[in-house]
Amino acid sequence: MALVIAIVSYLLNRFALQGLGAATIAILLGIILGNVYFKQPILFLGTAWSEKKLLEFSVMFLGATVTFQTIGKLGWSGVGFIILQMIATITFVLFVGKKLGFSHNITVLMASGNAVCGSSAIAAVEPVIGADTGEKRTSIAMVNLMGTILMLTLPLIGTWLFGSNDLLRGALIGGTEQSVGQVVASATMVNSETTTLATLFKIMRIILLVFVVLYFGTRHQKERKIETSPSDIKLKRQSFLPWYVMGFLVLCTLDTFVHFAPELSATAKFISGWCETIALAAIGLRLNLVEFVKAGKKLLIYGISTLLFQVILAFILISLLLK
């Protein structure tokens, strides 16, 4: 189903809706069809696989189209922006969650999910703080809902704030969006250069996930008055560099020092683009708009306040560090 929508989107982009982009059409078409016609549970396993795995392949093959010179565009200012954005987001989400009366575990999961990489970060932090299934599901649902809002609005906000500056738009999207899929989907609505830069900012956040897990794990043990050291904290596989990030870095390194032939880079870009378009169609199919209505009022206040804080903070930091 995701593949069919991707092909239809490609044809629409080529013959009817030129300029909108096949990837953008795919996610919008997926949202419409997924909420109106294709809600059958039999589709869930396939769309879940397409969303996760194909997007990971897309990010990996993107490494064959960039070099360290491209990454160098981010500079130390870019690194500083990501670190400050993450620290401030974690601090704000913990503070607001406590004021609104949410459990400590939910605030920690919300903080890690919003600061780093959505559901993956929540899955990595959850075992080290002893959160239960209900707290995990609540956090994942809200992080994904807020990420969807950002995914659809950041391209417009970024262009409004920063004009045609791809670096600044990439920083806004890559520095605030929750999941890798949402980053790619949002940036694709702008252009390919913004997508590349936003992905680089996002990868930088993923690399820092292990430190977030260690921080919350150590903090949890201290609150329980258990003597521990970072080595005592069991880190899940998601806490380290995911395989597709490693693949991205390997291909990027090879392209920097070996210089891939133009045909090879073009092939990698083609594969990356199609994996991305199919994955975005799957994301659209899986986006349940009813969840927005079902979310509780207090939870929505929590999510929206976090969303606004992240965007405003990102704008301030980008203006100070990257302009």
Side-chain angles (χ1 to χ4, degrees), residues 68-124:
F68 287 155
Q69 286 73 29
T70 307
I71 298 177
K73 291 181 181 179
L74 306 186
W76 288 110
S77 297
V79 176
F81 158 66
I82 290 297
I83 293 175
L84 291 174
Q85 177 81 3
M86 289 177 62
I87 292 174
T89 296
I90 289 172
T91 303
F92 177 84
V93 174
L94 290 176
F95 173 78
V96 173
K98 183 178 180 179
K99 290 296 183 182
L100 289 173
F102 286 99
S103 71
H104 174 71
N105 286 345
I106 285 182
T107 62
V108 170
L109 294 179
M110 284 283 288
S112 57
N114 282 285
V116 192
C117 51
S119 302
S120 298
I122 291 173

Side-chain angles (χ1 to χ4, degrees), residues 42-180:
I42 195 173
L43 299 175
F44 293 169
L45 186 61
T47 53
W49 185 90
S50 299
E51 174 185 355
K52 180 175 175 58
K53 292 300 179 183
L54 291 182
L55 199 63
E56 291 174 349
F57 278 113
S58 174
V59 172
M60 182 187 73
F61 283 112
L62 185 65
T65 67
V66 300
T67 62
F68 287 155
Q69 286 73 29
T70 307
I71 298 177
K73 291 181 181 179
L74 306 186
W76 288 110
S77 297
V79 176
F81 158 66
I82 290 297
I83 293 175
L84 291 174
Q85 177 81 3
M86 289 177 62
I87 292 174
T89 296
I90 289 172
T91 303
F92 177 84
V93 174
L94 290 176
F95 173 78
V96 173
K98 183 178 180 179
K99 290 296 183 182
L100 289 173
F102 286 99
S103 71
H104 174 71
N105 286 345
I106 285 182
T107 62
V108 170
L109 294 179
M110 284 283 288
S112 57
N114 282 285
V116 192
C117 51
S119 302
S120 298
I122 291 173
V125 171
E126 171 255 329
V128 303
I129 65 170
D132 61 38
T133 302
E135 292 169 328
K136 179 180 176 182
R137 286 177 179 171
T138 299
S139 303
I140 288 176
M142 183 46 56
V143 165
N144 285 332
L145 286 175
M146 294 304 102
T148 300
I149 293 175
L150 287 178
M151 177 183 72
L152 298 174
T153 58
L154 279 186
L156 296 175
I157 295 173
T159 301
W160 175 56
L161 293 175
F162 304 120
S164 59
N165 191 313
D166 293 326
L167 174 63
L168 302 188
R169 289 187 292 189
L172 178 66
I173 294 171
T176 58
E177 274 286 4
Q178 281 79 352
S179 73
V180 175

